[in-house]
Amino acid sequence: MNTVSAAANTVPISVYISRLRRAFLLRVHPDRFRSQSEKVRKEQATLVQVISDRLGENDFVDFAAQRRQIRSDFLANAKSNSTFTYKDYPYSIETKEGKLIKSSIQLNSTPRKILESMSSTISFPPPPDGLDVEPSTMDSFNIYSTTDKYDSDNQKVDDLIKNAGMFGSTKTTSRTIRDCNLMNFLQHMNPNDIKTRKLNRINATAAALVARRAWKLAAIDGTGLGWSSASMAILLRKFTELYDEHKSKLRTKSFYPFRLVFSGDEFNKKVDLYSGVILLNPAATPLQWLETLQTITDESITQLKHNRVILEQNLSLVESHLNVRVRKGYSCEPSDYHHFMSKMAMASVNIEENDKSNTSLTPQLNNVCLVIESSQACRRCSVRKDGNIEAGVGMDIHKIRNTLHKFAAASVEYKKRESQHKHEFNKFQQRVVYEYGVQNVQKVSNIVTYDQMSDCLIHLLGKEDDEKEKLRNYMTGQTVGITGRGQPCHLGDDGSIQMPWNVQ
């Protein structure tokens, strides 16, 4: 417990509040109390709503921003305005044994007391003591790059932005400039939209958790649909209702280790005993879903587990022989991948038995993956931008070995460069989290490079102090996402503030 508490004190208070909010709301979410009375479910639903509202009040914003002066105008309004309903709210917590424990939380209190009440109820680390101060490591914090692009000894942040030439020289239309202007977006943004989207994401997460536990699945994935969290929550609740109504018609008591994927793509094989994936179309009726799920039996689960054991054994032999990690690519069919690994394992054993000296010819490639794609998608071996080596499922072990020899140096160089850019980004990210009080800075699109993300953060760090303070008022406690160039500033489905890497 002491270790966990110490870890909690190493993060900014805004990050702590965001993490505690998510953990607490998932524990008290009404979807987890389906078997309880209507009164209990209403209490839980009310609590989730008022907690979300309370954490958005001015005093909580100031507390998260670590301001010395905490605004308490909501308390004054609460005494004079009857529309405020912050009070002692009752709620329930369910233990691992299924026992229901009654509790309550006083929301008409200080932020610290509210956080302490929330954390103690769910055995979460307590909030950090006092307002966070700048850590001693920040005194010597080097926000400058160590590459030739930036001079780490002499240049300041403003010099870095000027020399980078990314923002001042970018030719954009007036519409693009307006859409990429972060301050303009934040000033015209409705703060309630962030709260609503965060709550919708919590609702979808809770609905997925309930559905996964009811059906006893390894995971449920609907991210490929591109749906909003609100729509996904409705879909998942409908899926849980199907179990409650028709569970007696199922041919197995547990679907583990199958993983359910909702997909709008066309597919012929709805149940794959190699990948362990069940594919359901969200446009289908619940009874059509039931027909698919009824095809899964205890024998299906046994066969899936057997296939996974064989794959793990073959994978271990191949990786040991080739000195590189191997994984399945997106275009490769699971059955083809399994057969490929079986063929490669047999060939590896034969080579080692006949000529053991040949095994040393395969270079050691740390942090590099050999990605196996379909024969149609990969006709020739190549090195990806991330440094991983791509090969086709129809190739034999000799061609694979030759490929590793051919691209080893280039792959290592790509990985080294990527690691360096990621290390530089992590330094800028740490500084932005501290100066703006954001929860995290993340990549939204794979087309965005770490180098571009670093340029974006350098631009934010180089702003004047008064503009930083204005931005901090909007961004404290939020998650920041960085998208591709030309995208407008907008809110993500999870309530994150998303901006292009060439943001103004």
Side-chain angles (χ1 to χ4, degrees), residues 319-362:
E319 290 183 340
S320 176
H321 178 75
L322 296 178
N323 289 327
V324 67
R325 291 183 295 120
V326 184
R327 65 176 174 86
K328 187 183 80 69
Y330 179 78
S331 64
C332 184
E333 289 292 331
S335 57
D336 293 339
Y337 180 68
H338 278 246
H339 296 150
F340 171 80
M341 294 307 302
S342 178
K343 179 182 67 175
M344 292 284 287
M346 292 178 60
S348 300
V349 172
N350 291 334
I351 291 176
E352 292 180 1
E353 289 179 350
N354 297 331
D355 190 357
K356 296 183 179 180
S357 62
N358 268 345
T359 59
S360 62
L361 297 177
T362 307

Side-chain angles (χ1 to χ4, degrees), residues 356-391:
K356 296 183 179 180
S357 62
N358 268 345
T359 59
S360 62
L361 297 177
T362 307
Q364 180 72 38
L365 298 176
N366 296 325
N367 301 324
V368 176
C369 275
L370 176 65
V371 184
I372 307 302
E373 299 287 358
S374 67
S375 298
Q376 293 77 16
C378 180
R379 299 181 183 274
R380 294 186 302 175
C381 298
S382 61
V383 181
R384 295 179 170 180
K385 290 183 178 180
D386 60 2
N388 292 330
I389 300 175
E390 184 179 282

